[in-house]
PDB file of all heavy atoms in Angstrom:
ATOM      1  N   ALA A  18      -0.149  -3.465  17.248  1.00  0.00           N
ATOM      2  CA  ALA A  18       0.255  -2.207  16.653  1.00  0.00           C
ATOM      3  C   ALA A  18      -0.781  -1.679  15.639  1.00  0.00           C
ATOM      4  O   ALA A  18      -1.681  -2.407  15.198  1.00  0.00           O
ATOM      5  CB  ALA A  18       1.589  -2.403  15.930  1.00  0.00           C
ATOM      6  N   THR A  19      -0.633  -0.396  15.322  1.00  0.00           N
ATOM      7  CA  THR A  19      -1.350   0.181  14.157  1.00  0.00           C
ATOM      8  C   THR A  19      -0.293   0.164  13.055  1.00  0.00           C
ATOM      9  O   THR A  19       0.787   0.697  13.173  1.00  0.00           O
ATOM     10  CB  THR A  19      -1.816   1.630  14.472  1.00  0.00           C
ATOM     11  OG1 THR A  19      -2.746   1.585  15.551  1.00  0.00           O
ATOM     12  CG2 THR A  19      -2.428   2.204  13.251  1.00  0.00           C
ATOM     13  N   VAL A  20      -0.669  -0.446  11.932  1.00  0.00           N
ATOM     14  CA  VAL A  20       0.242  -0.587  10.758  1.00  0.00           C
ATOM     15  C   VAL A  20      -0.282   0.266   9.636  1.00  0.00           C
ATOM     16  O   VAL A  20      -1.411   0.079   9.189  1.00  0.00           O
ATOM     17  CB  VAL A  20       0.416  -2.068  10.345  1.00  0.00           C
ATOM     18  CG1 VAL A  20       1.337  -2.161   9.131  1.00  0.00           C
ATOM     19  CG2 VAL A  20       0.937  -2.914  11.508  1.00  0.00           C
ATOM     20  N   ILE A  21       0.532   1.152   9.137  1.00  0.00           N
ATOM     21  CA  ILE A  21       0.144   2.063   8.061  1.00  0.00           C
ATOM     22  C   ILE A  21       0.963   1.745   6.818  1.00  0.00           C
ATOM     23  O   ILE A  21       2.197   1.626   6.890  1.00  0.00           O
ATOM     24  CB  ILE A  21       0.391   3.548   8.449  1.00  0.00           C
ATOM     25  CG1 ILE A  21      -0.436   3.868   9.702  1.00  0.00           C
ATOM     26  CG2 ILE A  21       0.033   4.470   7.279  1.00  0.00           C
ATOM     27  CD1 ILE A  21      -0.125   5.250  10.288  1.00  0.00           C
ATOM     28  N   SER A  22       0.256   1.526   5.727  1.00  0.00           N
ATOM     29  CA  SER A  22       0.994   1.149   4.469  1.00  0.00           C
ATOM     30  C   SER A  22       0.452   1.856   3.251  1.00  0.00           C
ATOM     31  O   SER A  22      -0.751   2.051   3.093  1.00  0.00           O
ATOM     32  CB  SER A  22       0.848  -0.357   4.284  1.00  0.00           C
ATOM     33  OG  SER A  22       1.507  -0.735   3.094  1.00  0.00           O
ATOM     34  N   ARG A  23       1.355   2.224   2.390  1.00  0.00           N
ATOM     35  CA  ARG A  23       0.960   2.740   1.091  1.00  0.00           C
ATOM     36  C   ARG A  23       0.455   1.557   0.238  1.00  0.00           C
ATOM     37  O   ARG A  23       1.011   0.496   0.301  1.00  0.00           O
ATOM     38  CB  ARG A  23       2.182   3.365   0.413  1.00  0.00           C
ATOM     39  CG  ARG A  23       1.813   4.080  -0.884  1.00  0.00           C
ATOM     40  CD  ARG A  23       2.989   4.705  -1.513  1.00  0.00           C
ATOM     41  NE  ARG A  23       3.644   5.661  -0.582  1.00  0.00           N
ATOM     42  CZ  ARG A  23       4.886   6.130  -0.706  1.00  0.00           C
ATOM     43  NH1 ARG A  23       5.645   5.723  -1.664  1.00  0.00           N
ATOM     44  NH2 ARG A  23       5.349   6.941   0.194  1.00  0.00           N
ATOM     45  N   GLU A  24      -0.617   1.818  -0.456  1.00  0.00           N
ATOM     46  CA  GLU A  24      -1.189   0.771  -1.344  1.00  0.00           C
ATOM     47  C   GLU A  24      -0.462   0.966  -2.699  1.00  0.00           C
ATOM     48  O   GLU A  24      -0.547   2.033  -3.283  1.00  0.00           O
ATOM     49  CB  GLU A  24      -2.676   0.941  -1.482  1.00  0.00           C
ATOM     50  CG  GLU A  24      -3.415  -0.262  -1.990  1.00  0.00           C
ATOM     51  CD  GLU A  24      -3.110  -0.665  -3.374  1.00  0.00           C
ATOM     52  OE1 GLU A  24      -3.156   0.205  -4.301  1.00  0.00           O
ATOM     53  OE2 GLU A  24      -2.709  -1.834  -3.614  1.00  0.00           O
ATOM     54  N   ILE A  25       0.274  -0.020  -3.121  1.00  0.00           N
ATOM     55  CA  ILE A  25       1.087   0.087  -4.363  1.00  0.00           C
ATOM     56  C   ILE A  25       0.594  -0.746  -5.480  1.00  0.00           C
ATOM     57  O   ILE A  25       1.181  -0.758  -6.526  1.00  0.00           O
ATOM     58  CB  ILE A  25       2.563  -0.212  -4.063  1.00  0.00           C
ATOM     59  CG1 ILE A  25       2.712  -1.638  -3.599  1.00  0.00           C
ATOM     60  CG2 ILE A  25       3.139   0.754  -3.047  1.00  0.00           C
ATOM     61  CD1 ILE A  25       4.128  -2.147  -3.651  1.00  0.00           C
ATOM     62  N   GLY A  26      -0.501  -1.527  -5.283  1.00  0.00           N
ATOM     63  CA  GLY A  26      -0.954  -2.456  -6.300  1.00  0.00           C
ATOM     64  C   GLY A  26      -1.849  -1.868  -7.338  1.00  0.00           C
ATOM     65  O   GLY A  26      -2.174  -2.554  -8.359  1.00  0.00           O
ATOM     66  N   SER A  27      -2.315  -0.681  -7.164  1.00  0.00           N
ATOM     67  CA  SER A  27      -3.189  -0.091  -8.181  1.00  0.00           C
ATOM     68  C   SER A  27      -2.341   0.664  -9.208  1.00  0.00           C
ATOM     69  O   SER A  27      -1.215   1.054  -8.941  1.00  0.00           O
ATOM     70  CB  SER A  27      -4.109   0.938  -7.522  1.00  0.00           C
ATOM     71  OG  SER A  27      -4.953   0.273  -6.535  1.00  0.00           O
ATOM     72  N   GLY A  28      -2.895   0.779 -10.368  1.00  0.00           N
ATOM     73  CA  GLY A  28      -2.136   1.529 -11.397  1.00  0.00           C
ATOM     74  C   GLY A  28      -1.416   0.666 -12.366  1.00  0.00           C
ATOM     75  O   GLY A  28      -1.707  -0.536 -12.569  1.00  0.00           O
ATOM     76  N   ILE A  29      -0.463   1.196 -13.005  1.00  0.00           N
ATOM     77  CA  ILE A  29       0.306   0.550 -14.038  1.00  0.00           C
ATOM     78  C   ILE A  29       1.274  -0.511 -13.482  1.00  0.00           C
ATOM     79  O   ILE A  29       1.942  -0.275 -12.484  1.00  0.00           O
ATOM     80  CB  ILE A  29       1.149   1.578 -14.877  1.00  0.00           C
ATOM     81  CG1 ILE A  29       0.164   2.604 -15.511  1.00  0.00           C
ATOM     82  CG2 ILE A  29       2.015   0.922 -15.929  1.00  0.00           C
ATOM     83  CD1 ILE A  29       0.880   3.782 -16.147  1.00  0.00           C
ATOM     84  N   VAL A  30       1.252  -1.672 -14.078  1.00  0.00           N
ATOM     85  CA  VAL A  30       2.119  -2.745 -13.654  1.00  0.00           C
ATOM     86  C   VAL A  30       3.521  -2.395 -14.155  1.00  0.00           C
ATOM     87  O   VAL A  30       3.759  -2.100 -15.286  1.00  0.00           O
ATOM     88  CB  VAL A  30       1.689  -4.079 -14.225  1.00  0.00           C
ATOM     89  CG1 VAL A  30       2.653  -5.208 -13.868  1.00  0.00           C
ATOM     90  CG2 VAL A  30       0.277  -4.454 -13.798  1.00  0.00           C
ATOM     91  N   PRO A  31       4.511  -2.414 -13.153  1.00  0.00           N
ATOM     92  CA  PRO A  31       5.866  -2.058 -13.566  1.00  0.00           C
ATOM     93  C   PRO A  31       6.470  -3.014 -14.617  1.00  0.00           C
ATOM     94  O   PRO A  31       6.217  -4.210 -14.592  1.00  0.00           O
ATOM     95  CB  PRO A  31       6.685  -2.150 -12.248  1.00  0.00           C
ATOM     96  CG  PRO A  31       5.648  -2.249 -11.177  1.00  0.00           C
ATOM     97  CD  PRO A  31       4.390  -2.752 -11.767  1.00  0.00           C
ATOM     98  N   MET A  32       7.312  -2.431 -15.475  1.00  0.00           N
ATOM     99  CA  MET A  32       7.983  -3.303 -16.513  1.00  0.00           C
ATOM    100  C   MET A  32       9.141  -4.064 -15.849  1.00  0.00           C
ATOM    101  O   MET A  32       9.438  -5.171 -16.287  1.00  0.00           O
ATOM    102  CB  MET A  32       8.501  -2.397 -17.623  1.00  0.00           C
ATOM    103  CG  MET A  32       7.384  -1.882 -18.528  1.00  0.00           C
ATOM    104  SD  MET A  32       7.976  -0.835 -19.859  1.00  0.00           S
ATOM    105  CE  MET A  32       9.113  -1.871 -20.746  1.00  0.00           C
ATOM    106  N   ASP A  33       9.810  -3.472 -14.892  1.00  0.00           N
ATOM    107  CA  ASP A  33      10.918  -4.096 -14.228  1.00  0.00           C
ATOM    108  C   ASP A  33      10.505  -5.293 -13.414  1.00  0.00           C
ATOM    109  O   ASP A  33       9.619  -5.232 -12.578  1.00  0.00           O
ATOM    110  CB  ASP A  33      11.601  -3.055 -13.329  1.00  0.00           C
ATOM    111  CG  ASP A  33      12.836  -3.586 -12.637  1.00  0.00           C
ATOM    112  OD1 ASP A  33      13.795  -3.859 -13.316  1.00  0.00           O
ATOM    113  OD2 ASP A  33      12.776  -3.784 -11.401  1.00  0.00           O
ATOM    114  N   ALA A  34      11.144  -6.429 -13.606  1.00  0.00           N
ATOM    115  CA  ALA A  34      10.810  -7.667 -12.943  1.00  0.00           C
ATOM    116  C   ALA A  34      10.905  -7.576 -11.432  1.00  0.00           C
ATOM    117  O   ALA A  34      10.072  -8.129 -10.679  1.00  0.00           O
ATOM    118  CB  ALA A  34      11.655  -8.831 -13.449  1.00  0.00           C
ATOM    119  N   GLU A  35      11.968  -6.896 -10.955  1.00  0.00           N
ATOM    120  CA  GLU A  35      12.120  -6.770  -9.468  1.00  0.00           C
ATOM    121  C   GLU A  35      10.996  -5.893  -8.856  1.00  0.00           C
ATOM    122  O   GLU A  35      10.523  -6.179  -7.744  1.00  0.00           O
ATOM    123  CB  GLU A  35      13.474  -6.127  -9.164  1.00  0.00           C
ATOM    124  CG  GLU A  35      14.636  -7.137  -9.296  1.00  0.00           C
ATOM    125  CD  GLU A  35      14.418  -8.419  -8.476  1.00  0.00           C
ATOM    126  OE1 GLU A  35      14.163  -8.274  -7.280  1.00  0.00           O
ATOM    127  OE2 GLU A  35      14.529  -9.497  -9.065  1.00  0.00           O
ATOM    128  N   GLU A  36      10.589  -4.843  -9.573  1.00  0.00           N
ATOM    129  CA  GLU A  36       9.484  -4.021  -9.114  1.00  0.00           C
ATOM    130  C   GLU A  36       8.190  -4.830  -9.050  1.00  0.00           C
ATOM    131  O   GLU A  36       7.386  -4.692  -8.129  1.00  0.00           O
ATOM    132  CB  GLU A  36       9.320  -2.768 -10.009  1.00  0.00           C
ATOM    133  CG  GLU A  36      10.399  -1.747  -9.790  1.00  0.00           C
ATOM    134  CD  GLU A  36      10.326  -1.121  -8.411  1.00  0.00           C
ATOM    135  OE1 GLU A  36       9.258  -0.598  -7.994  1.00  0.00           O
ATOM    136  OE2 GLU A  36      11.391  -1.114  -7.726  1.00  0.00           O
ATOM    137  N   ARG A  37       7.964  -5.649 -10.051  1.00  0.00           N
ATOM    138  CA  ARG A  37       6.768  -6.490 -10.070  1.00  0.00           C
ATOM    139  C   ARG A  37       6.815  -7.499  -8.943  1.00  0.00           C
ATOM    140  O   ARG A  37       5.802  -7.773  -8.283  1.00  0.00           O
ATOM    141  CB  ARG A  37       6.609  -7.263 -11.415  1.00  0.00           C
ATOM    142  CG  ARG A  37       6.140  -6.373 -12.527  1.00  0.00           C
ATOM    143  CD  ARG A  37       5.690  -7.200 -13.759  1.00  0.00           C
ATOM    144  NE  ARG A  37       6.653  -8.220 -14.172  1.00  0.00           N
ATOM    145  CZ  ARG A  37       7.691  -8.007 -14.992  1.00  0.00           C
ATOM    146  NH1 ARG A  37       7.910  -6.795 -15.502  1.00  0.00           N
ATOM    147  NH2 ARG A  37       8.489  -8.945 -15.361  1.00  0.00           N
ATOM    148  N   ARG A  38       7.997  -8.090  -8.679  1.00  0.00           N
ATOM    149  CA  ARG A  38       8.174  -9.043  -7.579  1.00  0.00           C
ATOM    150  C   ARG A  38       7.836  -8.363  -6.247  1.00  0.00           C
ATOM    151  O   ARG A  38       7.130  -8.950  -5.442  1.00  0.00           O
ATOM    152  CB  ARG A  38       9.580  -9.596  -7.578  1.00  0.00           C
ATOM    153  CG  ARG A  38       9.823 -10.647  -6.526  1.00  0.00           C
ATOM    154  CD  ARG A  38      11.291 -11.165  -6.629  1.00  0.00           C
ATOM    155  NE  ARG A  38      11.735 -12.133  -5.654  1.00  0.00           N
ATOM    156  CZ  ARG A  38      11.690 -12.049  -4.366  1.00  0.00           C
ATOM    157  NH1 ARG A  38      11.136 -11.049  -3.794  1.00  0.00           N
ATOM    158  NH2 ARG A  38      12.173 -13.006  -3.601  1.00  0.00           N
ATOM    159  N   TRP A  39       8.313  -7.187  -6.052  1.00  0.00           N
ATOM    160  CA  TRP A  39       8.060  -6.452  -4.781  1.00  0.00           C
ATOM    161  C   TRP A  39       6.581  -6.113  -4.683  1.00  0.00           C
ATOM    162  O   TRP A  39       6.000  -6.263  -3.598  1.00  0.00           O
ATOM    163  CB  TRP A  39       8.885  -5.177  -4.733  1.00  0.00           C
ATOM    164  CG  TRP A  39       8.455  -4.252  -3.598  1.00  0.00           C
ATOM    165  CD1 TRP A  39       8.345  -4.595  -2.275  1.00  0.00           C
ATOM    166  CD2 TRP A  39       8.013  -2.904  -3.734  1.00  0.00           C
ATOM    167  NE1 TRP A  39       7.894  -3.500  -1.591  1.00  0.00           N
ATOM    168  CE2 TRP A  39       7.676  -2.439  -2.463  1.00  0.00           C
ATOM    169  CE3 TRP A  39       7.904  -2.031  -4.777  1.00  0.00           C
ATOM    170  CZ2 TRP A  39       7.199  -1.173  -2.245  1.00  0.00           C
ATOM    171  CZ3 TRP A  39       7.443  -0.749  -4.573  1.00  0.00           C
ATOM    172  CH2 TRP A  39       7.111  -0.329  -3.270  1.00  0.00           C
ATOM    173  N   ARG A  40       5.963  -5.710  -5.789  1.00  0.00           N
ATOM    174  CA  ARG A  40       4.493  -5.393  -5.766  1.00  0.00           C
ATOM    175  C   ARG A  40       3.748  -6.625  -5.336  1.00  0.00           C
ATOM    176  O   ARG A  40       2.818  -6.537  -4.511  1.00  0.00           O
ATOM    177  CB  ARG A  40       4.150  -4.926  -7.175  1.00  0.00           C
ATOM    178  CG  ARG A  40       2.690  -4.588  -7.329  1.00  0.00           C
ATOM    179  CD  ARG A  40       2.495  -4.070  -8.735  1.00  0.00           C
ATOM    180  NE  ARG A  40       1.142  -4.184  -9.158  1.00  0.00           N
ATOM    181  CZ  ARG A  40       0.528  -3.284  -9.870  1.00  0.00           C
ATOM    182  NH1 ARG A  40       1.163  -2.192 -10.292  1.00  0.00           N
ATOM    183  NH2 ARG A  40      -0.735  -3.447 -10.259  1.00  0.00           N
ATOM    184  N   GLU A  41       4.082  -7.798  -5.831  1.00  0.00           N
ATOM    185  CA  GLU A  41       3.381  -9.013  -5.472  1.00  0.00           C
ATOM    186  C   GLU A  41       3.660  -9.420  -4.023  1.00  0.00           C
ATOM    187  O   GLU A  41       2.782  -9.816  -3.303  1.00  0.00           O
ATOM    188  CB  GLU A  41       3.785 -10.144  -6.425  1.00  0.00           C
ATOM    189  CG  GLU A  41       3.268  -9.964  -7.856  1.00  0.00           C
ATOM    190  CD  GLU A  41       3.875 -10.956  -8.847  1.00  0.00           C
ATOM    191  OE1 GLU A  41       4.451 -11.952  -8.411  1.00  0.00           O
ATOM    192  OE2 GLU A  41       3.705 -10.716 -10.042  1.00  0.00           O
ATOM    193  N   PHE A  42       4.935  -9.224  -3.613  1.00  0.00           N
ATOM    194  CA  PHE A  42       5.344  -9.479  -2.213  1.00  0.00           C
ATOM    195  C   PHE A  42       4.540  -8.627  -1.259  1.00  0.00           C
ATOM    196  O   PHE A  42       3.958  -9.094  -0.286  1.00  0.00           O
ATOM    197  CB  PHE A  42       6.862  -9.199  -2.104  1.00  0.00           C
ATOM    198  CG  PHE A  42       7.463  -9.437  -0.782  1.00  0.00           C
ATOM    199  CD1 PHE A  42       8.254 -10.536  -0.565  1.00  0.00           C
ATOM    200  CD2 PHE A  42       7.307  -8.524   0.257  1.00  0.00           C
ATOM    201  CE1 PHE A  42       8.848 -10.767   0.676  1.00  0.00           C
ATOM    202  CE2 PHE A  42       7.912  -8.703   1.499  1.00  0.00           C
ATOM    203  CZ  PHE A  42       8.668  -9.833   1.711  1.00  0.00           C
ATOM    204  N   HIS A  43       4.502  -7.315  -1.583  1.00  0.00           N
ATOM    205  CA  HIS A  43       3.793  -6.364  -0.698  1.00  0.00           C
ATOM    206  C   HIS A  43       2.288  -6.693  -0.668  1.00  0.00           C
ATOM    207  O   HIS A  43       1.660  -6.656   0.364  1.00  0.00           O
ATOM    208  CB  HIS A  43       4.046  -4.946  -1.203  1.00  0.00           C
ATOM    209  CG  HIS A  43       3.487  -3.893  -0.338  1.00  0.00           C
ATOM    210  ND1 HIS A  43       4.026  -3.636   0.918  1.00  0.00           N
ATOM    211  CD2 HIS A  43       2.458  -3.028  -0.482  1.00  0.00           C
ATOM    212  CE1 HIS A  43       3.331  -2.617   1.512  1.00  0.00           C
ATOM    213  NE2 HIS A  43       2.377  -2.289   0.648  1.00  0.00           N
ATOM    214  N   GLY A  44       1.737  -7.018  -1.819  1.00  0.00           N
ATOM    215  CA  GLY A  44       0.302  -7.393  -1.841  1.00  0.00           C
ATOM    216  C   GLY A  44      -0.018  -8.603  -1.011  1.00  0.00           C
ATOM    217  O   GLY A  44      -1.023  -8.647  -0.341  1.00  0.00           O
ATOM    218  N   ALA A  45       0.885  -9.595  -1.083  1.00  0.00           N
ATOM    219  CA  ALA A  45       0.685 -10.813  -0.265  1.00  0.00           C
ATOM    220  C   ALA A  45       0.758 -10.506   1.215  1.00  0.00           C
ATOM    221  O   ALA A  45      -0.030 -11.011   2.048  1.00  0.00           O
ATOM    222  CB  ALA A  45       1.738 -11.889  -0.636  1.00  0.00           C
ATOM    223  N   VAL A  46       1.692  -9.613   1.599  1.00  0.00           N
ATOM    224  CA  VAL A  46       1.817  -9.226   2.995  1.00  0.00           C
ATOM    225  C   VAL A  46       0.556  -8.471   3.423  1.00  0.00           C
ATOM    226  O   VAL A  46      -0.020  -8.770   4.498  1.00  0.00           O
ATOM    227  CB  VAL A  46       3.055  -8.348   3.209  1.00  0.00           C
ATOM    228  CG1 VAL A  46       3.066  -7.643   4.584  1.00  0.00           C
ATOM    229  CG2 VAL A  46       4.307  -9.210   3.086  1.00  0.00           C
ATOM    230  N   LEU A  47       0.054  -7.573   2.632  1.00  0.00           N
ATOM    231  CA  LEU A  47      -1.158  -6.792   2.979  1.00  0.00           C
ATOM    232  C   LEU A  47      -2.352  -7.695   3.096  1.00  0.00           C
ATOM    233  O   LEU A  47      -3.176  -7.520   4.013  1.00  0.00           O
ATOM    234  CB  LEU A  47      -1.409  -5.700   1.979  1.00  0.00           C
ATOM    235  CG  LEU A  47      -0.485  -4.464   2.051  1.00  0.00           C
ATOM    236  CD1 LEU A  47      -0.892  -3.441   0.966  1.00  0.00           C
ATOM    237  CD2 LEU A  47      -0.574  -3.831   3.431  1.00  0.00           C
ATOM    238  N   GLN A  48      -2.477  -8.702   2.243  1.00  0.00           N
ATOM    239  CA  GLN A  48      -3.635  -9.646   2.345  1.00  0.00           C
ATOM    240  C   GLN A  48      -3.636 -10.349   3.675  1.00  0.00           C
ATOM    241  O   GLN A  48      -4.637 -10.473   4.331  1.00  0.00           O
ATOM    242  CB  GLN A  48      -3.572 -10.612   1.176  1.00  0.00           C
ATOM    243  CG  GLN A  48      -3.916 -10.018  -0.149  1.00  0.00           C
ATOM    244  CD  GLN A  48      -3.786 -11.081  -1.220  1.00  0.00           C
ATOM    245  OE1 GLN A  48      -4.356 -12.144  -1.121  1.00  0.00           O
ATOM    246  NE2 GLN A  48      -3.089 -10.716  -2.297  1.00  0.00           N
ATOM    247  N   ARG A  49      -2.471 -10.809   4.056  1.00  0.00           N
ATOM    248  CA  ARG A  49      -2.373 -11.594   5.305  1.00  0.00           C
ATOM    249  C   ARG A  49      -2.608 -10.668   6.500  1.00  0.00           C
ATOM    250  O   ARG A  49      -3.253 -10.996   7.477  1.00  0.00           O
ATOM    251  CB  ARG A  49      -0.971 -12.219   5.422  1.00  0.00           C
ATOM    252  CG  ARG A  49      -0.739 -12.961   6.718  1.00  0.00           C
ATOM    253  CD  ARG A  49      -1.513 -14.274   6.832  1.00  0.00           C
ATOM    254  NE  ARG A  49      -1.259 -14.897   8.098  1.00  0.00           N
ATOM    255  CZ  ARG A  49      -0.192 -15.670   8.365  1.00  0.00           C
ATOM    256  NH1 ARG A  49       0.712 -15.930   7.390  1.00  0.00           N
ATOM    257  NH2 ARG A  49      -0.044 -16.183   9.505  1.00  0.00           N
ATOM    258  N   LEU A  50      -2.087  -9.474   6.470  1.00  0.00           N
ATOM    259  CA  LEU A  50      -2.270  -8.481   7.576  1.00  0.00           C
ATOM    260  C   LEU A  50      -3.750  -8.104   7.666  1.00  0.00           C
ATOM    261  O   LEU A  50      -4.279  -8.009   8.777  1.00  0.00           O
ATOM    262  CB  LEU A  50      -1.450  -7.206   7.349  1.00  0.00           C
ATOM    263  CG  LEU A  50       0.071  -7.363   7.467  1.00  0.00           C
ATOM    264  CD1 LEU A  50       0.774  -6.026   7.296  1.00  0.00           C
ATOM    265  CD2 LEU A  50       0.463  -8.019   8.789  1.00  0.00           C
TER     266      LEU A  50
END
């Protein structure tokens, strides 16, 4: 497949713990992809 993803790791680190967890989750997925 062609996989298209928004890059969400740049910019201000979210204050909300769940948002930070998702940001790290998404970053780990993008690294592996």
